[in-house]
Amino acid sequence: MSLLTNTSSKIAFIGAGNMAKAIIGGLVAEGFKRINVIASGPRQEALDKAASELGINVTTDNSAAAAQAEVVVLAVKPQMLKEVCLGLADSLGHKPLIISLAAGITTESIGSWLGGEHAIVRCMPNTPSQLRVGASGLFANAHVTPAQRSTANMILGAVGIVQWVSDEALINPVTAVSGSGPAYFFLVMESMIDAGMELGLTRESATELTLQTALGAAILAKQSDVEVAELRRRVTSPKGTTEQAINSFEKDEIRAMFSRAMTACSNRAVELSELLGK
């Protein structure tokens, strides 16, 4: 039975930050009952805000939140995850599905902190999930059943697209592509705005033109039936203005620059896993 159609299914979010609230909002929009969602955290002020905005139950007691839930979403910072998991271990005897949003922490580490053989899905979402246009990479450990995998797919699918990987190590490249990816595009947009101003445009004009161009290019690429390389070629007329810009980018080795940057990102994810997963 789908989690959405089972009116008694309960989801607990350990952590009530922006990503947790984004997923809860997506679930509610898809028809999941607010009364079956509970969020916990240490700060009553943040919990009250989540309750007011989303109409959900809240508590400062993590164990109480998790005790009756079919799904427990760990939405805390990586540095806090070990302490949170150790505190939850005694309340998870009913073996719920665990979904972790914490970057860099392996399912093996989470399982060891929870003290048993738990079904764990590790997820790397990204910030556009707040607008339900996110991209999430997911990995399921060996204890996750097909039904639980479907549930995880539904939960993260409520805020964007979902891509599953068969090897947990591939979550690190997912981090480099989509997890950290929005920041790359923000940097490109920032640079284009600055360059437009240097060429004489006002900040307002440069910003509006840049953001709409980025939005339009993304929608066109998403809806087109050809690869992005072909779309780029179609805009780049021989000896035209766009070609001059592309040639400059290529001269500055933009492809190698992105490769180095994304490799550094992926490598840092590995380092964090080794550092925080002990």
Side-chain angles (χ1 to χ4, degrees), residues 142-240:
H143 302 296
V144 175
T145 67
Q148 289 173 323
R149 181 184 172 106
S150 178
T151 292
N153 199 83
M154 181 275 294
I155 291 172
L156 274 304
V159 291
I161 68 162
V162 171
Q163 290 288 312
W164 288 86
V165 295
S166 57
D167 183 343
E168 185 167 6
L170 292 175
I171 289 291
N172 298 319
V174 167
T175 301
V177 173
S178 57
S180 298
Y184 315 156
F185 288 102
F186 296 147
L187 179 59
V188 169
M189 287 185 271
E190 181 184 351
S191 300
M192 288 178 64
I193 292 167
D194 289 343
M197 292 174 60
E198 290 174 3
L199 291 169
L201 294 175
T202 64
R203 174 169 290 279
E204 180 181 6
S205 292
T207 299
E208 286 299 308
L209 290 168
T210 295
L211 299 187
Q212 184 65 23
T213 300
L215 175 64
I219 293 174
L220 181 60
K222 184 75 172 176
Q223 297 183 355
S224 178
D225 58 357
V226 301
E227 294 185 354
V228 292
E230 175 59 23
L231 291 175
R232 188 258 307 161
R233 283 191 287 268
R234 291 179 182 181
V235 182
T236 311
S237 302
K239 298 183 180 180

Side-chain angles (χ1 to χ4, degrees), residues 30 48 56 60 69 88 97 112 115 120 126 140 142 155 170 175 225 230 241 246 259 262-263:
E30 291 290 328
D48 290 342
I56 60 171
T60 56
L88 286 173
L97 169 64
S112 68
I120 302 172
N126 64 8
I155 291 172
L170 292 175
T175 301
D225 58 357
E230 175 59 23
T241 56
I246 296 298
S259 179
M262 292 171 68
T263 298

Side-chain angles (χ1 to χ4, degrees), residues 245-261:
I246 296 298
N247 288 344
S248 179
F249 282 133
E250 296 286 15
K251 182 179 179 181
D252 289 336
E253 299 184 332
I254 188 171
R255 298 171 195 270
M257 179 178 64
F258 267 93
S259 179
R260 289 191 299 269

